[in-house]
Amino acid sequence: MTSRRAFLKGTLCGSAAVLLPTAASAAAGGGPVLRLPPPTGPYPVGMRTVCLTDPDRADPWVGGVRQVMLTVLYPARSLRGFPRAPQLTRREADVFAEYAPYVRPGLPELGAVDWGAVLTHGHRGAPPLPGRRPVLVYSPGGGDSRTLGTTLGEDLASHGRVVVLVDHPGDASQVELPTGMRRTVLFGPPDPATFRTMVDTRVADLRLVLDRLGDLPLAPVMDARRIGLYGHSAGGTAVVRAACRDRRVGAVANLEGYLDLYPTPVGFARPLLLFRTDGFDGAARITSSWAGLPGRRMLLSDANHWAFTDYGPLVARLHTAGLVTAAARAALIGTGDPAVTLAEVRRRVGGFFARHLPERDHAEGPVPLPGRATGRPEAG
C-alpha cells in the first residue's frame, strides 16, 4: 500500500543525488558499459525535448499547474553536427541510480552502474526529413520514465513516424522539468485509489499532448489523419481509456496493461493491439480484463512484463556482467534471448501501426494539427 508519507517524497527537488562514476571510471572498475540496440529502419533519428504546461489543471501529487515532459523522435534529414543524446540527463541518471533497486527490485545498487553513460540513437536537434508522417504517442509503465521507451520509440521513428514519448511526473521515477527535479511518489505497488489517480492523470496528460501537437516544433511533419497511441502497463491502461472518447486516435496498442479499472469499453471501433507476455504474474487478470474486447491478441514468449521496455536489453547485459541475478532477470524481462524478444516486439508493434496508420504520405492536402485553441476530444 502507498502511504501519504511516500506521497510527500514527490516534491520538487532542485539538488542532485550522489554523483556516480563516469563511464571511463566504471569501465576501469569492471562495470559494464550499457548500450541500447540501434533502430532497424532506413531513416536516421532526430530527437527534441519539450515541456508542456496545462494552466487549467492542478498537479494531483504536489499541487500547482500540471507539467509534462516529452521526447519527440522523428526521421532526420541529416545528422552532421548533431550528436547522439544520452538516455538520461546527468541529474536524472543520479536519481534513477538511487531509486532503481526500489522501483525495480533486483537492479544494481547505487554506484554499480553509470546510467548517465547510456546513449540513445537519437541526434538532438537534427533537422527533420520533409513529409507528413504518422504520429505515435507513448505512455510508459507505472514508475517508469519516458526514456525507458527509447529503443522501441527510436525503431518506430526510423521507419517513418513521429514518436512522442510522454513523461508523467509524480509516478515516474524521475523527471527533470524546467522548474526542477520531480521524484516518484510510488514505493511499492500502488493501492487501487492511487492507481486510479495515476491512470486518470495519464489520460489527461495524453489529451493535453493531443491537443497541443500543433504547438510542437515538429508539427509541420505530423499528419493529423494518422495518430496512434501505445503504452506499457499503466500506460497501456491509459492509452485505451484516452482513445475511448477521442476520435483523433486511429489505432491503439496496449502492451500488458490492465483494463478492469473502468467499465469495459462498449463499441470500441478503433484497431486495438492487446500484447502480453507469457511470464507476467498478472496474466490471469490481464486476460480477464481483456475479455470481450475486439482487439488483436498477441503473446510474447519466454518474456516478462518489462521486456517491452529498455529494461530488456539493459537487464540482460547487467545479468551477463553479474550485476543482476538470474532470478531477477527472469522476474523483470523473462528468460528468452533479448535480441529475439526485442525483434518480436518491434515487428509486432511496428507491423500493427504500419497496417492501420501507413507510413506513406497522404496525396491530399495536410490536415491542421490541434493547437491551444482547437481539437478538443469528443465530449463525454
Side-chain angles (χ1 to χ4, degrees), residues 81-109:
F82 300 96
R84 287 166 61 183
Q87 184 181 32
L88 298 169
T89 69
R90 172 50 59 184
R91 293 178 65 200
E92 287 174 334
D94 295 340
V95 177
F96 179 74
E98 180 184 353
Y99 283 176
Y102 305 100
V103 175
R104 298 287 171 255
L107 291 180
E109 297 292 331

Side-chain angles (χ1 to χ4, degrees), residues 51-69:
C51 179
L52 294 181
T53 299
D54 188 347
D56 300 323
R57 184 163 52 109
D59 190 291
W61 309 113
V62 297
V65 296
R66 179 66 174 171
Q67 291 182 303
V68 297
M69 286 297 296

